[in-house]
């Protein structure tokens, strides 16, 4: 019998970490992240509860609830079934008011908008499934870039009540608040003189698609009359990497990308939207329906 000396013994087997294995593992991780971002998180709608305290809010509106839906971008890349799911979630909330803050379709960068025109009636028909009788809308930059008149007509036909540089009273139990809507700030002609009452006798909620337009709104003579601004447009950046922050922010959506901000007397809320543009990806930034409750200051 022979016995191996230490110098003769074979070393035990151990895992090999080759460059090829590392590359394969990295490719697999990227593929998994892409699948998660494009199919899972992109189709997970988060209902975000927010309470806003409004000075001078009439007692009839204490606890008044608003559902905000934004940036649908139907069929580029948002699917019909996904918008129906958003409508179902809003109906389950049973809000007192539904507000949609622009970009129902998408402007194709190739310059051909046949797909956008085809998507308009589909979008309107699905939105008509909203059970809340009080529904109002504004336009976004994609809507204006494709055809503002056509999108406005679609919203009117399907009872979404567009507000373009105008305001209406929202009434309840003999009291009211004012709801205002601006034309798109990037591609339209926003006019705060027309959109906001000159001497409002109740709180004012303003819909404005692009959040960075707050830098104009907050310095306008009508600013002291505005209590709450609701925006969308930014999609929250769609992809928000740790440390790096939001990666895909559009013009007029770079400074105030999502969530709450304060401008003296004006509160701003930026909804992340449910659709995507550029790439059908969301990471650390899921689609959002905002469920707003009004309370007195």
């Amino acid at each position: 019998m022979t016995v191996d000396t230490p110098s003769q013994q074979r070393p035990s087997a151990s895992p090999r970490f080759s460059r090829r294995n590392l590359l394969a593992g990295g490719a697999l991780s990227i593929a998994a992240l892409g699948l998660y971002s494009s199919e899972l998180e992109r189709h997970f709608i988060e209902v975000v509860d927010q309470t806003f305290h409004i000075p001078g809010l009439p007692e009839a509106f204490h606890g008044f609830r608003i559902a905000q839906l934004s940036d649908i971008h139907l069929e580029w890349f948002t699917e019909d079934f996904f918008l129906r799911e958003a409508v179902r979630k809003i109906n389950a909330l049973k809000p007192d008011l539904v507000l949609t803050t622009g970009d129902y379709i998408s402007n194709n960068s190739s310059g051909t908008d046949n797909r956008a025109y085809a998507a308009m009636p589909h979008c309107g028909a699905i939105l008509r499934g909203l059970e809340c009788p009080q529904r109002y809308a504004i336009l976004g930059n994609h809507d204006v870039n494709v055809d503002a008149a056509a999108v406005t007509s679609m919203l009117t036909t399907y009872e979404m009540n567009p507000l373009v540089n105008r305001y209406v009273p929202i009434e309840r139990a003999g009291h009211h608040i004012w709801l205002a809507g601006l034309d798109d700030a990037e591609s339209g002609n926003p006019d705060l003189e027309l959109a906001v009452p000159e001497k409002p006798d109740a709180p004012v909620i303003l819909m404005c698609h692009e959040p960075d337009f707050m830098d104009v709104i907050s310095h306008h003579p009508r600013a002291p009359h505005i209590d709450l601004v609701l925006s969308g447009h930014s999609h929250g950046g769609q992809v928000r990497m740790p440390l790096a922050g939001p990666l895909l922010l559009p013009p007029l959506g770079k400074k105030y990308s999502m969530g709450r901000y304060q401008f003296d007397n004006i509160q701003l809320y930026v909804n992340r939207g449910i659709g995507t543009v550029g790439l059908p990806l969301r990471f650390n930034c899921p689609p959002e329906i905002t469920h707003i409750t009004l309370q007195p200051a």
Side-chain angles (χ1 to χ4, degrees):
M1 170 183 278
T2 61
V3 178
D4 290 339
T5 64
S7 60
Q8 294 173 319
Q9 291 176 353
R10 293 183 178 181
S12 60
S14 60
R16 290 188 176 182
F17 295 97
S18 67
R19 182 171 180 272
R20 179 178 296 177
N21 289 341
L22 286 173
L23 290 174
L28 186 62
S29 298
I30 292 171
L33 181 61
L35 179 64
Y36 170 80
S37 302
S38 64
E39 296 301 325
L40 297 180
E41 183 165 326
R42 185 170 72 87
H43 290 123
F44 173 77
I45 300 175
E46 181 181 7
V47 176
V48 178
D49 291 302
Q50 294 287 335
T51 298
F52 291 94
H53 296 272
I54 307 295
L57 186 70
E59 186 174 354
F61 286 87
H62 295 186
F64 189 82
R65 293 181 301 112
I66 302 168
Q68 182 192 1
L69 177 68
S70 196
D71 297 271
I72 295 167
H73 294 286
L74 191 66
E75 296 184 5
W76 196 290
F77 301 93
T78 303
E79 307 92 341
D80 285 9
F81 79 83
F82 190 52
L83 178 55
R84 290 192 186 97
E85 174 64 9
V87 168
R88 186 193 69 78
K89 284 183 175 289
I90 291 173
N91 288 340
L93 295 172
K94 300 186 184 302
D96 302 298
L97 176 67
V98 175
L99 303 179
T100 56
T101 45
D103 280 358
Y104 307 91
I105 42 84
S106 287
N107 177 221
N108 187 350
S109 59
S110 69
T112 58
D113 295 313
N114 292 338
R115 191 169 181 175
Y117 281 103
M120 289 182 200
H122 293 298
C123 186
I126 296 171
L127 289 176
R128 190 157 61 180
L130 290 164
E131 296 170 356
C132 178
Q134 294 196 95
R135 307 189 294 263
Y136 290 90
I138 58 170
L139 302 181
N141 57 304
H142 283 256
D143 307 318
V144 175
N145 287 334
V146 172
D147 191 331
V151 176
T152 300
S153 177
M154 176 273 288
L155 293 169
T156 302
T157 298
Y158 292 99
E159 302 174 339
M160 288 304 298
N161 303 307
L163 296 179
V164 180
N165 290 334
R166 68 187 188 96
Y167 56 89
V168 294
I170 302 297
E171 298 179 340
R172 195 182 203 194
H175 297 272
H176 68 272
I177 59 175
W178 294 104
L179 177 65
L182 273 176
D183 196 2
D184 182 69
E186 180 181 326
S187 303
N189 296 290
D191 190 333
L192 284 158
E193 301 288 335
L194 297 176
V196 177
E198 183 179 3
K199 296 179 179 179
D201 56 354
V204 175
I205 297 174
L206 174 66
M207 293 187 288
C208 172
H209 183 66
E210 286 90 355
D212 290 1
F213 196 64
M214 270 304 306
D215 289 343
V216 174
I217 295 172
S218 62
H219 291 91
H220 193 275
R222 297 280 165 96
H225 304 319
I226 302 169
D227 296 277
L228 174 62
V229 174
L230 300 178
S231 295
H233 182 58
S234 68
H235 304 184
Q238 287 187 198
V239 175
R240 299 181 72 94
M241 301 301 292
L243 303 179
L247 300 185
L248 301 171
L249 291 172
L252 288 181
K254 296 183 183 296
K255 291 180 67 175
Y256 314 115
S257 62
M258 72 176 196
R260 300 176 73 133
Y261 302 87
Q262 187 75 41
F263 298 79
D264 294 328
N265 60 289
I266 304 175
Q267 300 174 80
L268 167 67
Y269 189 81
V270 184
N271 177 295
R272 296 190 301 263
I274 66 166
T276 58
V277 295
L279 295 170
L281 300 175
R282 280 187 179 266
F283 180 75
N284 196 28
C285 188
E288 172 182 355
I289 291 168
T290 316
H291 185 217
I292 295 165
T293 302
L294 303 184
Q295 294 291 3

